[in-house]
């Protein structure tokens, strides 16, 4: 059974940094895409960063390009989201997601429907 276990998150002042991590425990489906989504109160869920595990290909939402970096540790089966230069508008619940995809690159990962999700963690950026 696949379980996504996230850690990190919390509160930070504008301009600060945070790193989220998400371990895909029990994954046995071969290559996968992993992604970070976020949802702020009253807003739709937004995909912010995507990575194809085996191809190390990434894709980002325009709102976070140049500030957020998604990476992975294949041995630990873990994906990371390093967030720098955080802004109050980055305040949201952040979710990690995973989906099987054998030949996907980052842009394709961005178009997938994700089946596996974690519980989410709150990120709050104060001005």
């Amino acid at each position: 059974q696949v379980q996504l276990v996230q850690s990190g998150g919390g509160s930070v002042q504008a301009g600060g940094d945070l790193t989220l991590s998400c371990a895909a425990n029990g994954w046995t489906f071969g290559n996968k895409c992993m992604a970070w989504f976020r949802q702020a109160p009253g807003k739709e869920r937004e995909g912010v960063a995507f990575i194809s595990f085996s191809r190390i290909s990434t894709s980002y939402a325009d709102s976070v390009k140049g500030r957020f970096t998604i990476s992975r540790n294949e041995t630990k089966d873990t994906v990371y989201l390093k967030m720098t230069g955080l802004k109050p508008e980055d305040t949201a619940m952040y979710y990690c997601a995973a989906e099987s995809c054998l030949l996907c690159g980052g842009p394709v990962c961005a178009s997938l429907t994700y089946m596996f999700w974690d519980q989410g963690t709150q990120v709050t950026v104060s001005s």
Side-chain angles (χ1 to χ4, degrees):
Q1 182 176 356
V2 175
Q3 185 179 18
L4 302 183
V5 180
Q6 185 182 157
S7 62
S11 298
V12 66
Q13 289 194 326
D17 304 340
L18 280 175
T19 298
L20 307 178
S21 64
C22 177
N25 295 333
W27 188 273
T28 60
F29 306 120
N31 186 45
K32 59 182 171 292
C33 292
M34 291 193 74
W36 293 96
F37 290 79
R38 67 185 181 186
Q39 188 166 21
K43 295 189 176 181
E44 291 189 358
R45 187 173 63 196
E46 173 190 24
V48 297
F50 304 84
I51 189 166
S52 172
F53 245 61
S54 64
R55 302 182 71 175
I56 325 176
S57 174
T58 61
S59 181
Y60 296 91
D62 289 342
S63 57
V64 305
K65 278 181 183 176
R67 299 188 299 120
F68 289 14
T69 302
I70 189 170
S71 62
R72 98 288 188 259
N73 182 315
E74 199 165 26
T75 301
K76 295 183 178 180
D77 222 357
T78 297
V79 65
Y80 305 92
L81 184 69
K82 181 172 183 176
M83 305 181 288
T84 63
L86 283 161
K87 305 174 181 179
E89 52 263 44
D90 294 317
T91 295
M93 186 72 77
Y94 281 72
Y95 298 91
C96 168
E99 182 55 49
S100 175
C101 193
L102 295 180
L103 298 176
C104 292
V108 176
C109 291
S111 66
L112 294 180
T113 298
Y114 284 77
M115 178 180 295
F116 300 100
W117 295 82
D118 79 319
Q119 298 295 320
T121 191
Q122 179 68 36
V123 171
T124 302
V125 184
S126 57
S127 57

